Amino acid sequence: MRKIGLYGFVYVWFAILIVLPVLGLIVGAFRDGAGAFVRQLANPEALFSLKLTFEITGLTVVINGVFGVLAALVIARRHARGWQVINAIVDLPFAVSPVIAGLALILVYGPRTWIGGVFASAHIKIIYAMPGMVLATLFVTFPFVVRELVPVLREKGFAQEEAAVTLGASAWTTFWRVTLPGMKWSLAYGLVLTLARALGEFGAVLVVSGAVIMLTQSATLYVYQETVNSDLQAAYAVSLVLAATSFVILMILQLIKKRQGRHLV
Amino acid sequence: MSIELRRIAKSYTGEALALDGVSLQVKEGEMIGFLGPSGSGKTTLLRIIAGLEKQSAGEVLIGGKVVDGLPPQKRKVGVVFQNYALFKHMTVYENIAFGLKVQKQSKKHIHMRVMELLQYVRLEGLENRYPQQLSGGQAQRVALARALAPKPKILLLDEPFAAIDTKVRRELRQWVRDVHDDIGITSIFVTHDQEEALEIADRVLVMNRGKIEQFGTPKEVYEAPNSLFVANFVGEANHIYGKTVDHRVAIGEISVDVPDKPDGTNVHVVIRPKDIRIREIMSDDDVTGEIVRVSYKGDFYGVDIATNELRLHVYVPKEQDYLLEIGRNVAYELTDFKLFEERPMSTESEVNPYHIEIRKSS
């Protein structure tokens, strides 16, 4: 009996914490019908912000995918000197508030700094422009892929790679045919987390972007602005698109994983 | 191909030498067992031959040529790893084909070779299974087929039977020996199981703390151990500690000559269970002991005899089973023993269940 009570509590908690807010979002977005929902999204400002967010997210997923895999290999193999340092630094983005991360980027790459000046003289704008927003998002989401992969790589060990090498495979072949397939589901999961976080990033992006409408206003910044302007209908619509994107991708991942069979780790 | 190691040393920063000047020669077609406790350096040595690890000093020669500059891909060495290291996301077929695929051989040729190997390792019909769907023995055979597929000149096996049930293990090791003879390859396997090493190796390399203790045929290593460590590690043995008095040392009530040791030397006597004979008591001069334990071992019995001062483990042929009654007194005599000057020993207790430690006051 006590068990049922405890489990019941889990469901209640789940409902309070996750299900109800999501339902609220859906109801809010469609309160004035599907037509209104579509109209809100067709607003050029909304469309622009979504496009910008998807661009930043796409870049982030690709770049952090590559560097996350590299960092995970360095940490898991303990080969390169200083892997402990990297291991400790990887978690920093989780420990630091995104706003502070954004501020730090301005202090290094801002227009009045030396590095920012060098880029400015080459007519490349980093802060208050898209490169800075990508940098901020990269920073905030860096740990996801690494933290997914390191335990998997450590547990797997490197015997399969050694076997491949003794069978004549080059380092490159070994990576593509052995290492990568062996960790693809963990990598995919890390990338989905990265994607979800990148879609939803607010603080760091706000600080480095300046949130200029139709220029550096990403989707979350748009939602915030519309909320402040009390145009809740617009805020709900864009929010729902962001939430649904992460959710759908997560579901697709689960589906593929199931379909590919149980022999895959 | 022949293998030669010249003064191989390996050190890891901040640790004692993992390998300390190991030199040896392996002839073409030989099967060698590297035997030693964990941490003795045997696996490190194997990995250095494969090129998976680099020695700190010394040279590795394969077929008479120094291979130190060659990466593992170019050494023509097949390796069967501990726990097999099969590619988990590939089928049995794909695992075996891997080494041929990276050589960019034709599909047709790969197919023929894989099928040939599948038949050879008796796994036809399992080619579409994944490693998780195989038993330990099957996985081991896939690992062997995969290592043999690119036709290596040398086969290295790292604890190949460690993860397999005892009965299957016995069959498998005989089979591995047959494969070795059949394809005429040079093989080295690493093991901590002395029975395994003695049974299938042409020669056994006994290692301890990064050094070679002895390198010889199983018979030499077993019957003429050249160190206390080897006597301890290879085969069951009774251990008796004593001190020489008048150039003699007492083993229970038996006293043996040790002409070349000065009096007062602490000695360690090693007696193989097969070097003690028992018989019925025939006279009052007989040295006797009481049978306290008998275990059936198939072709012979393992018998424990308690004398006044010590307990000896003896192999008794089954023809003598009429003597074997718990509580019965029998006469015993030594046919052979090995004597070493005593120095501190290690690791023997887990290897030799019949370790006896009696310090005799003289």
Side-chain angles (χ1 to χ4, degrees), chain A residues 159-160 162-171 173 177-178 181-182 263-265, chain B residues 47 52 72-73 77 79 81 85-90 98-99 102 130 132 146 150:
Chain A
Q160 288 183 46
E162 289 187 337
V165 163
T166 60
L167 289 166
S170 65
T173 308
R177 296 245 182 107
V178 178
H263 59 268
L264 293 164
V265 182
Chain B
R47 292 172 59 82
L52 293 169
Q73 289 95 331
V77 169
V79 184
F81 289 84
L86 295 177
F87 305 128
K88 288 210 170 85
H89 59 285
M90 296 184 201
F98 186 89
V102 298
Y130 283 90
Q132 286 89 329
R146 182 180 67 175

Side-chain angles (χ1 to χ4, degrees), chain B residues 62-73:
Chain B
I62 294 177
K65 288 197 189 95
V66 177
V67 295
D68 298 330
L70 289 183
Q73 289 95 331

Side-chain angles (χ1 to χ4, degrees), chain B residues 7-145:
Chain B
R7 296 179 305 280
I8 296 288
K10 174 77 184 174
S11 58
Y12 298 99
T13 41
E15 283 171 45
L17 278 180
L19 288 170
D20 186 2
V22 173
S23 299
L24 63 95
Q25 291 190 333
V26 178
K27 293 193 267 302
E28 178 152 7
E30 266 191 309
M31 181 171 233
I32 305 294
F34 284 1
L35 176 65
S38 53
S40 60
K42 55 194 193 304
T43 297
T44 307
L45 198 57
L46 194 83
R47 292 172 59 82
I48 286 173
I49 297 172
L52 293 169
E53 242 167 275
K54 200 146 181 50
Q55 68 270 28
S56 313
E59 291 176 319
V60 179
L61 289 83
I62 294 177
K65 288 197 189 95
V66 177
V67 295
D68 298 330
L70 289 183
Q73 289 95 331
K74 302 226 166 100
R75 292 199 181 187
K76 297 198 164 159
V77 169
V79 184
V80 174
F81 289 84
Q82 194 173 8
N83 303 320
Y84 324 124
L86 295 177
F87 305 128
K88 288 210 170 85
H89 59 285
M90 296 184 201
T91 61
V92 168
Y93 184 99
E94 290 165 333
N95 264 281
I96 299 174
F98 186 89
L100 307 169
K101 229 182 229 170
V102 298
Q103 285 180 359
K104 305 229 166 17
Q105 299 198 6
S106 75
K107 271 220 163 96
K108 202 177 139 204
H109 182 264
I110 292 175
H111 184 76
M112 274 166 54
R113 177 83 178 132
V114 173
M115 285 304 165
E116 177 192 8
L117 280 160
L118 276 168
Q119 193 182 17
Y120 191 69
V121 300
R122 299 176 305 208
L123 288 172
E124 306 110 308
L126 298 186
E127 57 264 34
N128 292 322
R129 292 252 185 114
Y130 283 90
Q132 286 89 329
Q133 301 166 313
L134 301 174
S135 73
Q138 289 168 338
Q140 213 249 9
R141 271 148 45 205
V142 174
L144 188 63

Side-chain angles (χ1 to χ4, degrees), chain A residues 127-162:
Chain A
I127 301 301
Y128 308 125
M130 174 136 161
M133 297 171 80
V134 174
L135 272 181
T137 313
L138 283 174
F139 180 90
V140 170
T141 57
F142 186 63
F144 286 109
V145 168
V146 180
R147 283 289 161 250
E148 276 302 315
L149 290 184
V150 168
V152 175
L153 288 172
R154 284 218 176 130
E155 199 221 305
K156 223 160 58 81
F158 296 96
Q160 288 183 46
E161 277 81 356
E162 289 187 337

